[in-house]
Amino acid sequence: MSSSARMHADELDIDGELVRRLVGEQFPDWAGLPVTRVASAGTDNAMYRLGEDMVVRLPRLPGGERQIETEQRWLPRLAPHMPLTVPVPLAMGEPGCGYGLRWGVYGWLDGSNAYDSPPAEPAATAVELGRFVAALRQVDAVGGPVSFRGGPVGEQDAEVRKAIGDLGADGTHDAALATAAWEHALALPQWQAAPVWLHGDLLPGNLLTASGRLTAVIDFGGLGIGDPAADALPAWALFSSGTRELFREAGEFEDAVWARGRGWALCFGLVAEHYYRGGRNPVLAGVGHRAVAEALREFGAMSS
């Protein structure tokens, strides 16, 4: 996975020299350590390995420091409750050297992302990730920030319908089926209980594997509280019909939450494929396409 190309019109200029200068000025004990760009298809943050044991995350977009602040504040509180490894914040960097945002330093986690190195045992992975989602949901959510995917999926209606129109017109997806599935999602009952924690962005690129096993969940920039439905997203973005139910059972997803999760898979998939196709980010466009295809296949089978 690679993130070297610019994906957004307002993307900030970030390179290894900037990272060296920021670290050298603000954390002199780490000055002189090797700085190496980490290849990633992530869209919100640039990552640079610092020495052997650390990684620096810098927001790519204006206003993106909120993600770093969320991780730095809340990950230490959540980590003891998690059945999988999560990033360990080590330091918060301040604006400087012409770069205007806060940035973070974290402990380095070995492994490869699940897009480049899919887990060798999908069934075991489905259970492990489901247990992670269920455990996250049980942590006290009082005072937590609102997740960007913690509200009603219908808030994305205009973007989704635009994507359906364009992707249907060029034959990428069945526009009539996608519209029916989307309108079904919009009509579902909404979350009425107290807000709970959700990761909000459980895509293959945010899961680490080692020796074929799921070992860690990373990128908690979308962490927050709300409706847990969006954490069902990997059911369609990562798993297949053969392992989807294992994830659902381990994740303790109720029927209505699961159905709203399918709506989030449609929303994410359509918008991501529409925005990132054409070479802007082939990885995310591909993940989006898969999520839509799986969600529509399931919806079509339910409706027939």
Side-chain angles (χ1 to χ4, degrees), residues 185 188-191 227 229 248 253-263:
L188 291 167
Q190 296 303 305
W191 180 254
D227 177 2
R248 178 180 181 176
F253 288 100
E254 300 173 356
D255 290 350
V257 177
W258 186 254
R260 290 196 302 276
R262 190 186 306 108

Side-chain angles (χ1 to χ4, degrees), residues 62-154:
E65 65 185 357
R66 180 178 179 275
Q67 295 188 17
I68 301 296
E69 292 166 350
T70 295
E71 291 179 333
Q72 295 272 326
R73 177 179 179 183
W74 292 102
L75 276 175
R77 307 186 191 191
L78 295 175
H81 306 281
M82 297 296 97
L84 292 167
T85 299
V86 300
V88 176
L90 300 177
M92 173 89 83
E94 299 296 331
C97 302
Y99 179 77
L101 304 178
R102 284 181 145 188
W103 47 282
V105 183
Y106 303 78
W108 175 260
L109 296 176
D110 286 324
S112 300
N113 69 77
Y115 181 88
D116 290 336
S117 300
E121 300 179 13
T125 300
V127 172
E128 290 169 348
L129 188 57
R131 289 173 177 167
F132 172 88
V133 169
L136 179 59
R137 199 185 302 144
Q138 295 304 313
V139 180
D140 185 358
V142 173
V146 176
S147 170
F148 78 121
R149 290 192 175 126
V153 72

Side-chain angles (χ1 to χ4, degrees), residues 55-56 72 96 106 144 162 225 285:
V55 64
V56 179
Q72 295 272 326
Y106 303 78
K162 170 64 174 170
I225 63 174

